[in-house]
Amino acid sequence: MQKDTKALKTLTVMVMAVAFLLTLSVSQVFSASDKLKEGRKICTTRKLGNCVSCHYLPDVESPGNVGPNLVEVMKHFTEADRDIVRQWVYDARKFNPDTIMPPFGPNKILTPEQIEAVVDYLYSLKKTTK
Amino acid sequence: MHGKIMKLLLCLAILLVPITFSKIVKAGDDIKEYTPNCTYEEYEKIYLNFYGNSTQEMAEEGNPAELMLDDGEDLYHKVEGTKGKSCASCHGENGEKLRGVAAHYPKYDPTIKGINTIALQINRCRKDKMGAKPLKYESYDQLALTLYVKSLSNGVPINVSIDGPARKFYEEGKRLYYTRMGQWNFNCAICHVKYACKRVRTNLLSPNRHHGDHWPSYRLKWGKAGSIQRRIRGCMKNMRAKPFKYQSEEIRALELYLTYQSNGLPLEVPGMRM
């Protein structure tokens, strides 16, 4: 009898742990895709980043052509270049003092979290075939 | 003794710094002009490809601002103010003495020691010569009169002078055209020179060659006619910058700079734009 209860207890704990881990990873997957969605939204919304006013991004109606195609751009960046990509979005003047790209960071157009979401989204473009 | 000389030198230095500084910032010649990305002819081809000829067809059906122009002609002949005069009292029936005049505007005026525009001159005449109230800028009557006066130079090549005292204001206009503004940190020239003919989403960036030859224009987006100053203010709002006030010194300098870019082209009002 006692043995049984103990076994049951252990089982419950195990089940709970597995369930906990499962929800954890599921929510992580969820929040990662949420963040990508958020990044994409920032890029395609006029009042936010509005990257598509100048750059090509997949599945966007009539993107602008002032800047380079961002899918092509991301082919040239590896994970190791994350700081460079972030800097481009944060303040492109570091690379081109007379750039047309708005200084999203210093001019407080986007928050650091929003910029991070944009960078995540840009890296997800490496998997795009278009 | 030494201390006094040092103080004097320091004062001089402090006085001189802003002078030289403002010179560096203000002189238009120091601005590195952009190379235009395309010619107007190339722009027209891209425009046709991108938008089709819908605006052209609409213009052929008639420009709604023609009605405003007719009202402007009536206003020109209407007696107003304490002195019992109309514009025609001084400038002749049907604007006889104003033919070709608007092709030289904006221009330097020694009385105001600044740049005069047609809209400004209309209000100066009303106040000083007619004893009438100045018309609110961008109001129907003000635009109608501007339109009528400018139409008296339709077909006349624009010939704006930037010689003599006008030069300084032209340089100021150019400096403003190249000044970064607003949260987006754009300047006018980057869109209308460096990236002209490129697309910002569904907007084609226009090269500035024809920016000064057709205002006031009817604009579909506004659903009515407006002045070049309203258009400039619109772009400034898009830049998230605080727009210059109507007829402020800054916006008149910009109008001068832009109209000078259209020198040699025939004035054609009212224009029609999307």
Side-chain angles (χ1 to χ4, degrees), chain B residues 119 137-138 142-143 146 150 211 214-219 222 224-234 246-247 251 255:
Chain B
Y137 292 114
E138 230 47 34
Q142 164 59 252
L143 284 168
T146 301
K150 288 188 104 175
H211 279 186
H214 58 85
W215 298 98
S217 286
Y218 182 86
R219 209 172 158 223
W222 297 332
K224 58 171 158 181
S227 69
I228 189 171
Q229 296 195 359
R230 177 165 182 202
R231 191 65 188 83
I232 293 171
R233 283 165 53 90
Y246 284 112
Q247 302 302 334
I251 210 163
E255 186 175 336

mmCIF file of all heavy atoms in Angstrom, chain B residues 119 137-138 142-143 146 150 211 214-219 222 224-234 246-247 251 255:
data_model
loop_
_atom_site.group_PDB
_atom_site.id
_atom_site.type_symbol
_atom_site.label_atom_id
_atom_site.label_comp_id
_atom_site.label_asym_id
_atom_site.label_seq_id
_atom_site.Cartn_x
_atom_site.Cartn_y
_atom_site.Cartn_z
ATOM 1 N N ALA B 119 1.477 85.582 -53.546
ATOM 2 C CA ALA B 119 0.473 85.553 -52.471
ATOM 3 C C ALA B 119 0.726 86.681 -51.464
ATOM 4 O O ALA B 119 -0.206 87.349 -51.017
ATOM 5 C CB ALA B 119 0.509 84.198 -51.764
ATOM 6 N N TYR B 137 -3.878 83.079 -45.755
ATOM 7 C CA TYR B 137 -3.151 82.221 -46.702
ATOM 8 C C TYR B 137 -3.823 80.869 -46.804
ATOM 9 O O TYR B 137 -4.282 80.318 -45.816
ATOM 10 C CB TYR B 137 -1.684 82.093 -46.292
ATOM 11 C CG TYR B 137 -0.980 83.414 -46.467
ATOM 12 C CD1 TYR B 137 -0.498 84.129 -45.377
ATOM 13 C CD2 TYR B 137 -0.880 83.986 -47.728
ATOM 14 C CE1 TYR B 137 0.101 85.367 -45.548
ATOM 15 C CE2 TYR B 137 -0.290 85.228 -47.906
ATOM 16 C CZ TYR B 137 0.197 85.910 -46.816
ATOM 17 O OH TYR B 137 0.761 87.139 -46.995
ATOM 18 N N GLU B 138 -3.923 80.408 -48.048
ATOM 19 C CA GLU B 138 -4.526 79.099 -48.337
ATOM 20 C C GLU B 138 -6.055 79.140 -48.289
ATOM 21 O O GLU B 138 -6.706 78.118 -48.479
ATOM 22 C CB GLU B 138 -3.976 78.042 -47.379
ATOM 23 C CG GLU B 138 -3.457 76.760 -48.006
ATOM 24 C CD GLU B 138 -2.526 76.919 -49.200
ATOM 25 O OE1 GLU B 138 -1.721 77.875 -49.272
ATOM 26 O OE2 GLU B 138 -2.594 76.063 -50.093
ATOM 27 N N GLN B 142 -7.768 83.838 -51.436
ATOM 28 C CA GLN B 142 -6.328 84.092 -51.580
ATOM 29 C C GLN B 142 -5.754 83.215 -52.705
ATOM 30 O O GLN B 142 -5.046 83.692 -53.585
ATOM 31 C CB GLN B 142 -5.646 83.851 -50.229
ATOM 32 C CG GLN B 142 -4.136 83.684 -50.215
ATOM 33 C CD GLN B 142 -3.311 84.833 -50.747
ATOM 34 O OE1 GLN B 142 -2.747 84.719 -51.818
ATOM 35 N NE2 GLN B 142 -3.242 85.937 -50.008
ATOM 36 N N LEU B 143 -6.124 81.936 -52.709
ATOM 37 C CA LEU B 143 -5.641 81.030 -53.757
ATOM 38 C C LEU B 143 -6.189 81.442 -55.121
ATOM 39 O O LEU B 143 -5.473 81.404 -56.127
ATOM 40 C CB LEU B 143 -6.053 79.587 -53.449
ATOM 41 C CG LEU B 143 -5.264 78.849 -52.365
ATOM 42 C CD1 LEU B 143 -5.980 77.562 -51.980
ATOM 43 C CD2 LEU B 143 -3.849 78.537 -52.837
ATOM 44 N N THR B 146 -4.256 84.433 -56.411
ATOM 45 C CA THR B 146 -2.905 83.996 -56.794
ATOM 46 C C THR B 146 -2.957 83.269 -58.132
ATOM 47 O O THR B 146 -2.134 83.508 -59.028
ATOM 48 C CB THR B 146 -2.307 83.071 -55.711
ATOM 49 O OG1 THR B 146 -2.273 83.790 -54.480
ATOM 50 C CG2 THR B 146 -0.901 82.635 -56.066
ATOM 51 N N LYS B 150 -1.155 84.557 -61.520
ATOM 52 C CA LYS B 150 -0.128 83.717 -62.144
ATOM 53 C C LYS B 150 -0.545 83.279 -63.549
ATOM 54 O O LYS B 150 0.292 83.169 -64.446
ATOM 55 C CB LYS B 150 0.188 82.507 -61.257
ATOM 56 C CG LYS B 150 0.982 82.888 -60.003
ATOM 57 C CD LYS B 150 1.466 81.678 -59.237
ATOM 58 C CE LYS B 150 2.944 81.427 -59.458
ATOM 59 N NZ LYS B 150 3.442 80.319 -58.628
ATOM 60 N N HIS B 211 9.138 71.309 -60.134
ATOM 61 C CA HIS B 211 8.406 71.580 -58.890
ATOM 62 C C HIS B 211 7.849 72.997 -58.811
ATOM 63 O O HIS B 211 6.902 73.253 -58.089
ATOM 64 C CB HIS B 211 9.297 71.307 -57.679
ATOM 65 C CG HIS B 211 9.375 69.859 -57.317
ATOM 66 N ND1 HIS B 211 10.012 69.395 -56.203
ATOM 67 C CD2 HIS B 211 8.889 68.762 -57.947
ATOM 68 C CE1 HIS B 211 9.910 68.071 -56.150
ATOM 69 N NE2 HIS B 211 9.243 67.675 -57.205
ATOM 70 N N HIS B 214 3.903 74.959 -61.712
ATOM 71 C CA HIS B 214 2.469 74.669 -61.886
ATOM 72 C C HIS B 214 1.604 74.972 -60.668
ATOM 73 O O HIS B 214 0.469 74.477 -60.568
ATOM 74 C CB HIS B 214 2.295 73.201 -62.267
ATOM 75 C CG HIS B 214 2.882 72.262 -61.251
ATOM 76 N ND1 HIS B 214 2.181 71.858 -60.141
ATOM 77 C CD2 HIS B 214 4.104 71.699 -61.149
ATOM 78 C CE1 HIS B 214 2.953 71.052 -59.430
ATOM 79 N NE2 HIS B 214 4.121 70.945 -60.004
ATOM 80 N N TRP B 215 2.117 75.762 -59.725
ATOM 81 C CA TRP B 215 1.336 76.038 -58.505
ATOM 82 C C TRP B 215 0.645 77.390 -58.563
ATOM 83 O O TRP B 215 1.200 78.304 -59.120
ATOM 84 C CB TRP B 215 2.257 75.975 -57.276
ATOM 85 C CG TRP B 215 2.853 74.641 -57.099
ATOM 86 C CD1 TRP B 215 4.109 74.256 -57.509
ATOM 87 C CD2 TRP B 215 2.255 73.480 -56.500
ATOM 88 N NE1 TRP B 215 4.318 72.933 -57.200
ATOM 89 C CE2 TRP B 215 3.200 72.440 -56.579
ATOM 90 C CE3 TRP B 215 1.017 73.231 -55.905
ATOM 91 C CZ2 TRP B 215 2.936 71.161 -56.086
ATOM 92 C CZ3 TRP B 215 0.762 71.965 -55.419
ATOM 93 C CH2 TRP B 215 1.715 70.952 -55.509
ATOM 94 N N PRO B 216 -0.523 77.539 -57.961
ATOM 95 C CA PRO B 216 -1.328 76.541 -57.246
ATOM 96 C C PRO B 216 -1.837 75.424 -58.167
ATOM 97 O O PRO B 216 -2.167 75.666 -59.316
ATOM 98 C CB PRO B 216 -2.520 77.351 -56.695
ATOM 99 C CG PRO B 216 -2.057 78.776 -56.695
ATOM 100 C CD PRO B 216 -1.116 78.886 -57.839
ATOM 101 N N SER B 217 -1.901 74.225 -57.603
ATOM 102 C CA SER B 217 -2.363 73.061 -58.344
ATOM 103 C C SER B 217 -3.549 72.414 -57.645
ATOM 104 O O SER B 217 -3.669 72.502 -56.423
ATOM 105 C CB SER B 217 -1.242 72.017 -58.428
ATOM 106 O OG SER B 217 -0.260 72.422 -59.338
ATOM 107 N N TYR B 218 -4.382 71.749 -58.457
ATOM 108 C CA TYR B 218 -5.432 70.919 -57.883
ATOM 109 C C TYR B 218 -4.803 69.593 -57.510
ATOM 110 O O TYR B 218 -4.095 68.989 -58.308
ATOM 111 C CB TYR B 218 -6.555 70.691 -58.893
ATOM 112 C CG TYR B 218 -7.696 69.881 -58.322
ATOM 113 C CD1 TYR B 218 -8.719 70.495 -57.614
ATOM 114 C CD2 TYR B 218 -7.723 68.497 -58.458
ATOM 115 C CE1 TYR B 218 -9.750 69.751 -57.051
ATOM 116 C CE2 TYR B 218 -8.753 67.745 -57.906
ATOM 117 C CZ TYR B 218 -9.762 68.377 -57.207
ATOM 118 O OH TYR B 218 -10.772 67.642 -56.653
ATOM 119 N N ARG B 219 -5.028 69.164 -56.275
ATOM 120 C CA ARG B 219 -4.464 67.884 -55.867
ATOM 121 C C ARG B 219 -5.578 66.943 -55.437
ATOM 122 O O ARG B 219 -6.393 67.283 -54.585
ATOM 123 C CB ARG B 219 -3.483 68.104 -54.710
ATOM 124 C CG ARG B 219 -2.410 67.065 -54.717
ATOM 125 C CD ARG B 219 -1.295 67.292 -53.758
ATOM 126 N NE ARG B 219 -0.676 65.997 -53.529
ATOM 127 C CZ ARG B 219 -0.304 65.546 -52.355
ATOM 128 N NH1 ARG B 219 -0.432 66.298 -51.283
ATOM 129 N NH2 ARG B 219 0.220 64.347 -52.238
ATOM 130 N N TRP B 222 -5.982 66.229 -51.794
ATOM 131 C CA TRP B 222 -6.610 67.303 -51.016
ATOM 132 C C TRP B 222 -8.076 67.487 -51.411
ATOM 133 O O TRP B 222 -8.848 68.068 -50.662
ATOM 134 C CB TRP B 222 -5.884 68.643 -51.249
ATOM 135 C CG TRP B 222 -4.462 68.686 -50.801
ATOM 136 C CD1 TRP B 222 -3.890 67.957 -49.799
ATOM 137 C CD2 TRP B 222 -3.419 69.538 -51.330
ATOM 138 N NE1 TRP B 222 -2.553 68.297 -49.675
ATOM 139 C CE2 TRP B 222 -2.244 69.254 -50.597
ATOM 140 C CE3 TRP B 222 -3.364 70.498 -52.339
ATOM 141 C CZ2 TRP B 222 -1.032 69.902 -50.851
ATOM 142 C CZ3 TRP B 222 -2.160 71.137 -52.588
ATOM 143 C CH2 TRP B 222 -1.009 70.833 -51.853
ATOM 144 N N LYS B 224 -8.880 69.555 -53.532
ATOM 145 C CA LYS B 224 -8.978 70.973 -53.910
ATOM 146 C C LYS B 224 -7.601 71.519 -54.312
ATOM 147 O O LYS B 224 -6.623 70.785 -54.283
ATOM 148 C CB LYS B 224 -9.571 71.787 -52.777
ATOM 149 C CG LYS B 224 -8.815 71.711 -51.465
ATOM 150 C CD LYS B 224 -9.421 72.749 -50.534
ATOM 151 C CE LYS B 224 -9.170 72.472 -49.086
ATOM 152 N NZ LYS B 224 -9.776 73.440 -48.213
ATOM 153 N N ALA B 225 -7.582 72.788 -54.637
ATOM 154 C CA ALA B 225 -6.323 73.398 -55.037
ATOM 155 C C ALA B 225 -5.545 73.849 -53.807
ATOM 156 O O ALA B 225 -6.121 74.117 -52.757
ATOM 157 C CB ALA B 225 -6.587 74.593 -55.945
ATOM 158 N N GLY B 226 -4.233 73.914 -53.955
ATOM 159 C CA GLY B 226 -3.381 74.384 -52.875
ATOM 160 C C GLY B 226 -2.118 74.995 -53.445
ATOM 161 O O GLY B 226 -1.826 74.858 -54.638
ATOM 162 N N SER B 227 -1.365 75.671 -52.570
ATOM 163 C CA SER B 227 -0.158 76.372 -53.009
ATOM 164 C C SER B 227 1.070 75.471 -52.893
ATOM 165 O O SER B 227 1.019 74.401 -52.281
ATOM 166 C CB SER B 227 0.060 77.607 -52.137
ATOM 167 O OG SER B 227 0.423 77.183 -50.836
ATOM 168 N N ILE B 228 2.164 75.933 -53.461
ATOM 169 C CA ILE B 228 3.428 75.195 -53.341
ATOM 170 C C ILE B 228 3.840 75.132 -51.869
ATOM 171 O O ILE B 228 4.417 74.141 -51.422
ATOM 172 C CB ILE B 228 4.536 75.847 -54.207
ATOM 173 C CG1 ILE B 228 5.780 74.953 -54.242
ATOM 174 C CG2 ILE B 228 4.909 77.251 -53.703
ATOM 175 C CD1 ILE B 228 6.842 75.385 -55.226
ATOM 176 N N GLN B 229 3.484 76.177 -51.111
ATOM 177 C CA GLN B 229 3.860 76.167 -49.698
ATOM 178 C C GLN B 229 3.099 75.092 -48.935
ATOM 179 O O GLN B 229 3.647 74.441 -48.044
ATOM 180 C CB GLN B 229 3.629 77.551 -49.085
ATOM 181 C CG GLN B 229 4.528 78.607 -49.725
ATOM 182 C CD GLN B 229 4.612 79.899 -48.928
ATOM 183 O OE1 GLN B 229 3.998 80.046 -47.888
ATOM 184 N NE2 GLN B 229 5.390 80.843 -49.437
ATOM 185 N N ARG B 230 1.845 74.848 -49.323
ATOM 186 C CA ARG B 230 1.098 73.767 -48.674
ATOM 187 C C ARG B 230 1.770 72.426 -48.992
ATOM 188 O O ARG B 230 1.883 71.552 -48.133
ATOM 189 C CB ARG B 230 -0.358 73.766 -49.145
ATOM 190 C CG ARG B 230 -1.113 72.623 -48.541
ATOM 191 C CD ARG B 230 -2.606 72.723 -48.636
ATOM 192 N NE ARG B 230 -3.192 71.567 -47.963
ATOM 193 C CZ ARG B 230 -4.404 71.100 -48.197
ATOM 194 N NH1 ARG B 230 -5.182 71.703 -49.066
ATOM 195 N NH2 ARG B 230 -4.846 70.039 -47.561
ATOM 196 N N ARG B 231 2.213 72.285 -50.242
ATOM 197 C CA ARG B 231 2.857 71.030 -50.659
ATOM 198 C C ARG B 231 4.155 70.804 -49.885
ATOM 199 O O ARG B 231 4.441 69.701 -49.428
ATOM 200 C CB ARG B 231 3.141 71.061 -52.169
ATOM 201 C CG ARG B 231 3.546 69.711 -52.715
ATOM 202 C CD ARG B 231 2.374 68.757 -52.570
ATOM 203 N NE ARG B 231 2.713 67.373 -52.891
ATOM 204 C CZ ARG B 231 3.285 66.533 -52.047
ATOM 205 N NH1 ARG B 231 3.623 66.914 -50.840
ATOM 206 N NH2 ARG B 231 3.520 65.282 -52.414
ATOM 207 N N ILE B 232 4.942 71.874 -49.728
ATOM 208 C CA ILE B 232 6.200 71.767 -48.981
ATOM 209 C C ILE B 232 5.900 71.372 -47.530
ATOM 210 O O ILE B 232 6.562 70.497 -46.961
ATOM 211 C CB ILE B 232 6.977 73.103 -49.040
ATOM 212 C CG1 ILE B 232 7.458 73.376 -50.471
ATOM 213 C CG2 ILE B 232 8.161 73.091 -48.076
ATOM 214 C CD1 ILE B 232 8.048 74.769 -50.687
ATOM 215 N N ARG B 233 4.883 72.002 -46.955
ATOM 216 C CA ARG B 233 4.513 71.685 -45.577
ATOM 217 C C ARG B 233 4.084 70.220 -45.448
ATOM 218 O O ARG B 233 4.369 69.571 -44.439
ATOM 219 C CB ARG B 233 3.401 72.615 -45.103
ATOM 220 C CG ARG B 233 3.898 74.018 -44.735
ATOM 221 C CD ARG B 233 2.742 75.005 -44.621
ATOM 222 N NE ARG B 233 1.697 74.540 -43.715
ATOM 223 C CZ ARG B 233 1.672 74.803 -42.403
ATOM 224 N NH1 ARG B 233 2.600 75.533 -41.853
ATOM 225 N NH2 ARG B 233 0.694 74.334 -41.642
ATOM 226 N N GLY B 234 3.421 69.714 -46.484
ATOM 227 C CA GLY B 234 3.013 68.311 -46.488
ATOM 228 C C GLY B 234 4.224 67.394 -46.415
ATOM 229 O O GLY B 234 4.255 66.435 -45.634
ATOM 230 N N TYR B 246 3.226 79.391 -43.201
ATOM 231 C CA TYR B 246 2.971 80.019 -44.495
ATOM 232 C C TYR B 246 3.649 81.385 -44.550
ATOM 233 O O TYR B 246 3.549 82.167 -43.612
ATOM 234 C CB TYR B 246 1.460 80.197 -44.727
ATOM 235 C CG TYR B 246 0.787 78.897 -45.096
ATOM 236 C CD1 TYR B 246 -0.114 78.293 -44.226
ATOM 237 C CD2 TYR B 246 1.077 78.267 -46.297
ATOM 238 C CE1 TYR B 246 -0.726 77.080 -44.560
ATOM 239 C CE2 TYR B 246 0.473 77.052 -46.639
ATOM 240 C CZ TYR B 246 -0.421 76.474 -45.772
ATOM 241 O OH TYR B 246 -1.010 75.269 -46.100
ATOM 242 N N GLN B 247 4.332 81.656 -45.638
ATOM 243 C CA GLN B 247 4.995 82.939 -45.911
ATOM 244 C C GLN B 247 6.079 83.296 -44.901
ATOM 245 O O GLN B 247 6.501 84.450 -44.822
ATOM 246 C CB GLN B 247 3.967 84.083 -46.018
ATOM 247 C CG GLN B 247 2.909 83.876 -47.084
ATOM 248 C CD GLN B 247 3.476 83.686 -48.493
ATOM 249 O OE1 GLN B 247 4.570 84.156 -48.810
ATOM 250 N NE2 GLN B 247 2.758 82.982 -49.347
ATOM 251 N N ILE B 251 10.156 79.409 -45.639
ATOM 252 C CA ILE B 251 9.408 78.757 -46.713
ATOM 253 C C ILE B 251 9.481 79.590 -47.997
ATOM 254 O O ILE B 251 9.463 79.046 -49.105
ATOM 255 C CB ILE B 251 7.954 78.440 -46.272
ATOM 256 C CG1 ILE B 251 7.451 77.186 -47.012
ATOM 257 C CG2 ILE B 251 7.012 79.608 -46.457
ATOM 258 C CD1 ILE B 251 6.230 76.546 -46.385
ATOM 259 N N GLU B 255 10.743 78.328 -51.552
ATOM 260 C CA GLU B 255 9.968 78.561 -52.785
ATOM 261 C C GLU B 255 10.854 79.194 -53.857
ATOM 262 O O GLU B 255 10.778 78.829 -55.033
ATOM 263 C CB GLU B 255 8.746 79.448 -52.490
ATOM 264 C CG GLU B 255 7.831 79.590 -53.695
ATOM 265 C CD GLU B 255 6.545 80.367 -53.416
ATOM 266 O OE1 GLU B 255 6.090 80.428 -52.249
ATOM 267 O OE2 GLU B 255 5.987 80.912 -54.386
#
